[in-house]
Amino acid sequence: MKKKAADYSLYLVTDRGLSRGRTTPEIVQAAVRGGVTCVQLREKNCSPREFIEQAILIQKFLKEHHIPLIINDRVDVAQAVKADGVHLGQSDMPLEMAKAILKDSMIIGISAQSVQHAVEAEKKGADYIGVGTIYPTLTKDDTSSPLGTEGLREIRKNVKIPIVAIGGLNKENSGDVIQNGADGIAVVSAIVSADDPEQTARELREIITGAKTS
Amino acid sequence: MKKKAADYSLYLVTDRGLSRGRTTPEIVQAAVRGGVTCVQLREKNCSPREFIEQAILIQKFLKEHHIPLIINDRVDVAQAVKADGVHLGQSDMPLEMAKAILKDSMIIGISAQSVQHAVEAEKKGADYIGVGTIYPTLTKDDTSSPLGTEGLREIRKNVKIPIVAIGGLNKENSGDVIQNGADGIAVVSAIVSADDPEQTARELREIITGAKTS
Ligand code: NI
């Protein structure tokens, strides 16, 4: 099985803990109706079996809408559900090991907090990088100092693979981030905690499309 | 790669938190010198990358001594380090999914707390079952009531695959457990918390060998 091409423009990362009581499938469906182009399932506080069940719950809907499903951290869960990809942080399995397991069957994304991370990920064959934190955020338990648009531009100069910016992104700053070199915007709380996730996704998508064509 | 046969007689499950400041490689080396026949690496409170690093740290020594390395929970980590097997609890990846990923390349062990679990695991192709909790223990965050030797015998009557008993096992009760149908004894604190893990492993191994030949 060969990996699919993906549109990273508006990349939703789930977080049950920030979803204000709504289930992950509810959030995902609303977000996709609004215009999310890619979904990463990130379920930190549940058993591996529950994580798999959540993936299966959203997968059929995502397939119908041709939206790639990316699994956070666990290569085995991605294999088990035949997801479209896996996203690995700097404390997760090293990229070369994941590639040895997956060969070219799946998208592999890597979190990059620096130019060095980004260049290394590209050299080792990552399909995209998640670059952040861009702006301060409470979502990720991440102590690195924010990169800002300046740090993002510096990374953009050094790699050719798609950059998905993450961290503190919202309607106010997403246009700027695209204009400073990101191919897509990853959001967690901006959508999962929104009063209206569908409408928020729609507005974000419009901003991104606008910034890309301006 | 075809999976190896394993001797489950004295099966060490690591637990850094109970090792009283000694490292997992220190404990594993002492335990193997004492006579442990199988090692399961279980590292619950570390990153996936650290888990992989721990596995690699103990793997060379284990290979030299022909002791199988079993990885707890993570099929992908087992694949990444080319371990001998993976152990899956009832909240981990379902056995059929793990088999679909691993084919016949690795030992797959399944935790069974009941006859139903045991029979299902055997039917679906588990290589062994970890049966417990046998006696009350503080080691596993496990709320099921202890099976005792009676529950163990009941499971023994219903499955043919190897049974590794776990939960509250020590020098006093391990002989009994073998005589009630277990092929092996899994221990955590009895070895990792022992003043002298090597000597304790040696004594346990003698008890098990004695019980098997009596
Ligand atoms: Ni030696």
Side-chain angles (χ1 to χ4, degrees), chain A residues 91-147:
Chain A
S91 303
D92 293 332
M93 180 179 291
L95 173 56
E96 49 272 48
M97 285 181 167
K99 279 197 88 81
I101 293 170
L102 296 171
K103 311 287 188 289
D104 215 33
S105 65
M106 249 181 231
I107 294 165
I108 306 180
I110 299 291
S111 296
Q113 284 89 44
S114 64
V115 171
Q116 189 204 319
H117 287 167
V119 169
E120 191 190 342
E122 181 175 61
K123 201 175 71 183
K124 292 181 175 168
D127 294 291
Y128 74 88
I129 46 175
V131 169
T133 308
I134 305 294
Y135 300 118
T137 166
L138 299 171
T139 301
K140 291 197 83 178
D141 28 4
D142 184 345
T143 51
S144 57
S145 57
L147 294 164

Side-chain angles (χ1 to χ4, degrees), chain A residues 57-71:
Chain A
L57 273 178
I58 62 173
Q59 190 168 34
K60 182 166 176 284
F61 178 82
L62 292 177
K63 269 192 207 294
E64 285 167 7
H65 294 78
H66 309 284
I67 303 298
L69 170 62
I70 311 281
I71 298 292

